[in-house]
Amino acid sequence: NGRTALANGGYVINNGSSFIMAMEFTPTGVQASALLTYSESSNPASPYYADQTRLFSQKQWRPILFTSEEIAAAPAEQITLTGD
């Protein structure tokens, strides 16, 4: 019927944007922001359950860090991925 059904105290999400990103290539480097509109976790006990959903509703974005200096200065946990 095209409507989202209310279930278990919340809405069932059938479609929509889950990851959004804006990126700009500037003379001083890449400037980018992004977020996961449905947050990181589906566990209501997790601190990541609705963190990015709140940011999305407040029209706030998270910065994407590119340089080693930006990443090292970030207060959050760090995970290094390689193509190997």
Side-chain angles (χ1 to χ4, degrees):
N1 65 11
R3 293 189 213 187
T4 304
L6 183 61
N8 299 325
Y11 287 94
V12 175
I13 308 222
N14 297 320
N15 55 49
S17 60
S18 59
F19 173 78
I20 53 177
M21 179 178 75
M23 180 179 288
E24 178 181 14
F25 295 96
T26 73
T28 58
V30 174
Q31 301 295 315
S33 298
L35 58 82
L36 298 169
T37 60
Y38 303 140
S39 295
E40 294 267 353
S41 175
S42 60
N43 178 357
S46 169
Y48 306 107
Y49 176 66
D51 58 342
Q52 293 190 46
T53 304
R54 281 190 289 278
L55 291 176
F56 181 65
S57 71
Q58 297 165 4
K59 299 181 181 177
Q60 296 178 347
W61 295 54
R62 296 183 58 204
I64 296 176
L65 309 178
F66 283 96
T67 67
S68 297
E69 294 79 18
E70 289 173 333
I71 295 167
E77 50 187 271
Q78 298 178 21
I79 299 171
T80 302
L81 302 175
T82 67
D84 299 335

